[in-house]
Structure formats: structure tokens, C-alpha cells
Amino acid sequence: MSYLEDMAKQIDTIDINGPEPTKEPERQYYFMAKMKHVVKEKSERLGRPLKALINTFGCQMNERDSEKLLGVLQQIGYEVAEGEDDADIILFNTCTVRDNADQRVFGRLGVLKHKKEKNPELIIGLCGCMMQETLVIQKIQKSYPYVDLIFGTHNLYKLAELLYTIHETDAPVVDIWEDAKEIIEDLPVERKYKFKSGVNIMFGCNNFCSYCIVPYVRGRERSRNPKDIIREIENLVADGVKEVMLLGQNVNSYGKGLEPNVTFAELLQEVVKIEGLERVRFMSSHPKDLSDDLIKVMASSDKICRHMHLALQSGSDRLLEKMNRHYTKEKYLEIVRKMREAMPDLAITTDIIVGFPGETVEDVNETIDIVKKAKFDGAFTFIYSKRTGTPAAAMPDQCSEEFVKEQFDRVLTTVQETAKEQAARFTGQTVKVMVEGRNDKDESMVTGRMSQNTVVHFKGDASLIGSIVDVHLDECLGFYYMGTKKS
Ligand code: SAM
Ligand code: SF4
Ligand code: F3S
């Protein structure tokens, strides 16, 4: 039995009247046990189970954090709510990478006001990246006083303890830590998918790209011990997981500061040895730290998916320097060339920002040029968003809205053209597809992903979900395929 299962089984045997443990994760299991009683009592009083809803914004890191939050809520007795209307607790796990992410959260919060008026016992909680900003907290306290719980990115694991404090004090709780302390292992997790899972290999970011808020809200880079990562993946595989995605803001700098030092390529080599694990993905890679060793390890194992997400941001050397990215257009293209040579079937996707302060038509032309040369299989194109506290926010010559809109459309058109061409290159081949779910529009079909992360739709029933099957790619329709399952 794993340590985690062991702890979960023991929850009911924990003496909740005994002293609070000071060590983690024992302390959190103690508060889970206490909260379990609170939830049970309330549920008996209301004559129905209590339900929880987590609304997740942002990246895979937040998705994984939400699985951990749900793990705790389920341990203490909450069931999953269908929507906000049948929830007894609503948690927003927030993102602040661009201003529109903040606005979405404020918009949803406004709606919750009426729900709280109708049901004063409803607990409304906010956590995640946005909560690490002082101005945000001030705004919430002033304009949304009905929020019961605010916590940040560094103390997410304390959910049970914080809920218990609300119960005891009957007052709102705000608990924000400036920095991360230790990495707490072995807390409960409730996965969204049975057959695939994200796995954090590191937290935080040290890169301080001049436009980006993430290092300020996620703290300094910390790598997990390889033994803990391998043990987690082994447990996941024993629980039915076939595909893992190794998560970090810059996985290529994994291992710095660990004793003994381990590189990301070395970690990957260990991960692919895990028996029963069929696919490994990772996200995100930073071009400045991408090593030849990583390319070698990727090429040497079929288990490692043929997909590399490598954020470019801009094709202009002048802007790349102002962005503090530490590579040039040439260096980026050189990495692309090496990767395509080692793995001709590799899909390369990227992130691009348009409208960084001081950007000119010539800078955008450089970006369009590299998009054509690198032949990206896909790209997320973002309009630059000014984030208070970052160096770029204080730079002069912020671009006009009109200019940005025009240039954004130019970049997007080029990205779509190359991606369309790239996607179609596998037509006629038979490839392995991991079936992820039923097709949204047609009940007789299922939807899955190729190693390259490209979506494939084909005839099949729900019994295929979670399996990896051979599919003939009949036709490429833009960015996805229609296929036929081989028997
Ligand atoms: N760490 C990842 C990397 O560097 O590859 C990126 C993580 S970030 C959450 C995802 C993307 O958001 C970035 O690659 C960048 O393109 C975009 N982004 C970050 N800050 C932004 C800003 N202020 N305005 C617009 N886009 C931004
Ligand atoms: Fe942000 Fe740059 Fe860190 Fe990515 S590497 S999270 S873009 S600071
Ligand atoms: Fe957003 Fe935080 Fe991820 S700011 S993109 S949720 S690390």
C-alpha cells in the first residue's frame, strides 16, 4: 500500500482531539479528519450530501493544482457539484498571466453575489496566481466582501486547515505567503482523467522574462526530488495511468540545486523506464536551456511523444533581448533544425506575443519570417498584456491598440497557414491514438490524440476510452483528422 493510500485509510483513525501535528503532511491529514466531522454533521443536518465546485483558470499547472484541491475536498466528504447552483463550496483557482484572465474571474465573482445572498452558508474561495498580487486582494476585500477564503500558490496544500479555521472562527480567512517553503509530498489528488495525468516536476520560475508575471506569483524555481517523481508516476501507472505530462514553467532547467545534480534529460531517461507507462509528454520548454542530450533522449524512446512546445515569443532579436529571453532568432531556428533532423515526425508548437512595448512592423516581419521557416504545427498567439510590477510595464512606447490588432492578424494568418500545411503531412498513415473521450457532436464516434498531440476523430464506442489504438488517418480537416480504427 502506498503512503498516500495508507494515510487516507488512516484518516478515520486520527485522534482529532489530540494535539495538532506540526509536521507536514501529517498536519493536513489531521485537519482533513477534523473537517470530515464538520462536513458529516452539516450534511446530516441538511439531509443531503455537500457538494464542491472548482473553477480552474490558466495553465496545466493550475489544472493539476485543482486536482489536488479536489483530492482534499473529496477526502473530507464533499461530492462533486454539477454546477454553481448545487455547490456548497465554490473555489476559483485563478490565473493572472494576462489581464483578460483577471477580468474573467472578477466577472464570475460578481455573479456569485446573488448566490451567496440566497445561500449564506455557501463558501466562496479564491486561490492561485491572481491572489499573490496585493492590489487584487485589496480590490476583492473592497468590492467582493462576500468572499470567505483567499489563499495563494504557495500554501495551496493547506486547504483543509484553512476551511477548519473558517468553521471555527466564522470569519473570512486570508492567508497569502510571499514565498514558497518546503515542497509537501503525498497529499490526496483526484484526477480528471483515469488514463492520463499531469505530474509536477518543478515549481516556480527564475527567468523573469520582462513581460511576465509568473515568477512573481509562483516564486523561485524549485525542483522535486527525482525519487518522489518516479514514485508518484509508478503509483499513477498502478492506478491505470498510461500517459503522463511532466509539468514545469521551464522543464529544461529541471534539477538545478538538487543534490546530486540531475538534468531533465536524465530524469526523462528514468521516467521512460517505468513499466506500464506508455506515453510521456512535457511542458514547457525554454529554448535557452534546451540541450542536445534532451533531443537525443527524446529520439531514443518511442514512449516520449513527438511533440515539443517551445515558446518563441518573437522572431526579432531586438525584442528577444528586451524580453530577456536569452536566445536569438538564429539560435531558435538551429534548435528547430536539430530537432527535426533527429525526429522528422516531431510536431513543434509555440507561443508568440504581439504588441510588446516598442514593437515595429519590422519586428513583426521577423516573427512572420521565423514562423514560415520553423513551420510550426501550431501556435498560441497572444496580444501583449501589461502586467503591473514587470519591467515591460514600465517601458516607454507601449503599442497602440490599432497597431497591435493589425499586426496580430498578420501573425495569426501566417501561423494558421503553416499549421494547416504541417497538420496534413500525416494523411494516409496509420498511427497510435490515445482515445480520450466520446466525440462531442457524434455519439457513434470517439476522439483521441496522436503522439504529436493532434486530435483525431473516428468511429468507436466508449469502451475504447483510455486505450491506445491504431488509426488510419483518412482526411485532414484543418487542424484535426478524421480516421478509421484498424481492427
Ligand atoms: N514558461 C512558459 C515558457 O516560457 O515557455 C510559458 C508560460 S506562460 C504561462 C504562457 C505564455 O503566456 C507565454 O509563453 C507567453 O507567450 C504568454 N504571456 C506571458 N506573459 C504575457 C503577457 N504579459 N502578455 C501576453 N502574453 C503573455
Ligand atoms: Fe514567464 Fe518566462 Fe518564466 Fe515562461 S519562462 S513563466 S514566460 S518568466
Ligand atoms: Fe496563469 Fe499562473 Fe499558469 S498566472 S498561466 S495559472 S502559472
Side-chain angles (χ1 to χ4, degrees):
M1 192 186 294
S2 73
Y3 179 71
L4 174 56
E5 286 167 328
D6 197 30
M7 287 301 279
K9 283 238 161 78
Q10 283 179 28
I11 252 187
D12 293 326
T13 65
I14 293 173
D15 175 10
I16 56 171
N17 298 312
E20 297 171 10
T22 47
K23 224 173 115 238
E24 297 291 6
E26 288 80 356
R27 185 178 169 86
Q28 293 315 309
Y29 279 95
Y30 169 84
F31 281 106
M32 279 179 236
K34 271 182 154 337
M35 269 310 290
K36 198 168 173 178
H37 277 261
V38 173
V39 169
K40 190 161 173 266
E41 264 176 36
K42 188 168 173 191
S43 163
E44 280 168 3
R45 173 165 57 84
L46 296 174
R48 60 169 179 81
L50 296 194
K51 297 195 173 178
L53 183 79
I54 302 181
N55 201 342
T56 310
F57 301 80
C59 64
Q60 275 93 348
M61 240 68 67
N62 260 20
E63 294 285 348
R64 184 63 178 157
D65 284 347
S66 289
E67 293 186 342
K68 295 176 186 172
L69 294 166
L70 190 60
V72 171
L73 290 173
Q74 291 207 331
Q75 281 294 334
I76 63 183
Y78 282 98
E79 292 184 3
V80 177
E82 298 261 312
E84 283 174 356
D85 285 337
D86 70 329
D88 297 280
I89 175 166
I90 300 175
L91 280 185
F92 284 180
N93 191 7
T94 63
C95 168
T96 187
V97 75
R98 285 169 289 276
D99 185 55
N100 55 10
D102 285 22
Q103 295 317 321
R104 289 222 314 274
V105 170
F106 286 129
R108 293 301 318 153
L109 257 189
V111 175
L112 289 189
K113 184 173 183 207
H114 307 289
K115 297 197 195 298
K116 183 82 176 181
E117 278 164 2
K118 267 205 266 169
N119 173 16
E121 285 195 57
L122 169 70
I123 296 175
I124 299 176
L126 295 171
C127 60
C129 297
M130 217 174 134
M131 299 306 120
Q132 293 294 137
E133 294 171 286
T134 317
L135 288 177
V136 168
I137 306 286
Q138 285 167 359
K139 178 166 174 177
I140 291 167
Q141 287 178 322
K142 187 161 165 268
S143 310
Y144 308 90
Y146 46 89
V147 170
D148 302 283
L149 172 62
I150 297 177
F151 57 124
T153 54
H154 304 311
N155 55 350
L156 217 89
Y157 69 89
K158 273 183 68 183
L159 176 61
E161 184 174 347
L162 298 173
L163 286 176
Y164 190 70
T165 312
I166 294 179
H167 169 74
E168 281 292 278
T169 58
D170 202 20
V173 167
V174 179
D175 191 14
I176 304 292
W177 296 358
E178 284 281 312
D179 298 304
K181 295 175 188 161
E182 75 226 275
I183 295 174
I184 311 295
E185 298 286 345
D186 296 316
L187 280 159
V189 184
E190 181 61 31
R191 293 198 311 276
K192 188 169 167 190
Y193 298 97
K194 180 116 195 58
F195 51 89
K196 67 171 186 176
S197 178
V199 173
N200 299 102
I201 62 166
M202 59 206 296
F203 302 94
C205 181
N206 280 357
N207 292 310
F208 289 96
C209 302
S210 62
Y211 50 81
C212 186
I213 194 87
V214 172
Y216 304 89
V217 296
R218 285 271 173 178
R220 294 295 58 74
E221 195 175 283
R222 294 140 353 252
S223 292
R224 275 178 81 195
N225 198 307
K227 279 204 192 85
D228 291 328
I229 297 170
I230 301 291
R231 188 168 54 110
E232 180 177 346
I233 300 175
E234 282 170 350
N235 286 337
L236 286 169
V237 170
D239 196 36
V241 165
K242 292 182 179 158
E243 176 181 307
V244 291
M245 180 179 275
L246 308 179
L247 297 172
Q249 290 299 351
N250 174 10
V251 292
N252 298 333
S253 75
Y254 169 80
K256 282 184 189 151
L258 284 181
E259 282 291 337
N261 211 278
V262 192
T263 66
F264 180 56
E266 286 163 352
L267 175 73
L268 256 188
Q269 251 171 335
E270 291 308 305
V271 171
V272 293
K273 283 184 199 155
I274 296 173
E275 234 169 272
L277 181 66
E278 299 193 36
R279 279 184 168 184
V280 184
R281 300 183 183 278
F282 52 85
M283 182 104 166
S284 280
S285 281
H286 193 306
K288 82 178 164 65
D289 298 310
L290 198 148
S291 68
D292 290 348
D293 281 349
L294 174 63
I295 299 177
K296 246 190 243 151
V297 172
M298 277 185 84
S300 72
S301 171
D302 288 342
K303 274 193 189 181
I304 305 176
C305 288
R306 293 295 180 251
H307 177 211
M308 169 67 79
H309 185 78
L310 191 64
L312 165 70
Q313 315 301 3
S314 169
S316 152
D317 288 347
R318 194 180 72 84
L319 282 200
L320 284 171
E321 197 177 339
K322 281 176 78 180
M323 288 175 163
N324 196 29
R325 289 291 290 181
H326 297 281
Y327 54 85
T328 59
K329 180 183 175 190
E330 261 332 292
K331 161 108 190 278
Y332 190 98
L333 281 171
E334 169 73 7
I335 299 170
V336 168
R337 192 189 55 71
K338 277 190 199 164
M339 290 195 302
R340 291 218 193 273
E341 197 176 287
M343 295 165 281
D345 56 347
L346 182 73
I348 304 176
T349 57
T350 199
D351 293 342
I352 294 169
I353 297 178
V354 180
F356 185 83
E359 183 153 23
T360 62
V361 175
E362 288 71 39
D363 294 319
V364 179
N365 288 346
E366 291 288 333
T367 301
I368 288 176
D369 183 55
I370 193 171
V371 168
K372 287 180 181 161
K373 288 185 172 140
K375 292 196 170 57
F376 291 117
D377 294 78
F380 294 110
T381 312
F382 302 111
I383 288 180
Y384 166 75
S385 173
K386 188 172 169 177
R387 308 315 288 137
T388 309
T390 62
M395 286 179 189
D397 48 350
Q398 305 274 327
C399 297
S400 76
E401 223 174 276
E402 197 192 348
F403 171 82
V404 176
K405 214 184 152 296
E406 217 171 274
Q407 302 308 317
F408 180 85
D409 288 346
R410 289 178 65 213
V411 175
L412 193 65
T413 308
T414 319
V415 160
Q416 284 173 344
E417 278 166 12
T418 51
K420 223 174 185 174
E421 247 176 69
Q422 282 294 103
R425 73 191 148 127
F426 301 106
T427 310
Q429 293 185 17
T430 296
V431 299
K432 299 255 178 245
V433 172
M434 156 88 90
V435 186
E436 298 200 335
R438 275 178 189 272
N439 186 291
D440 292 342
K441 296 193 187 98
D442 184 343
E443 283 261 307
S444 69
M445 300 190 85
V446 288
T447 296
R449 275 177 201 275
M450 291 160 52
S451 169
Q452 287 79 1
N453 212 31
T454 312
V455 168
V456 185
H457 304 290
F458 59 99
K459 285 257 178 250
D461 60 50
S463 67
L464 292 174
I465 295 170
S467 55
I468 296 178
V469 293
D470 288 320
V471 178
H472 180 266
L473 302 175
D474 304 327
E475 191 186 4
C476 182
L477 298 176
F479 306 106
Y480 61 88
Y481 281 101
M482 301 306 288
T484 310
K485 182 179 166 293
K486 291 272 182 179
S487 44

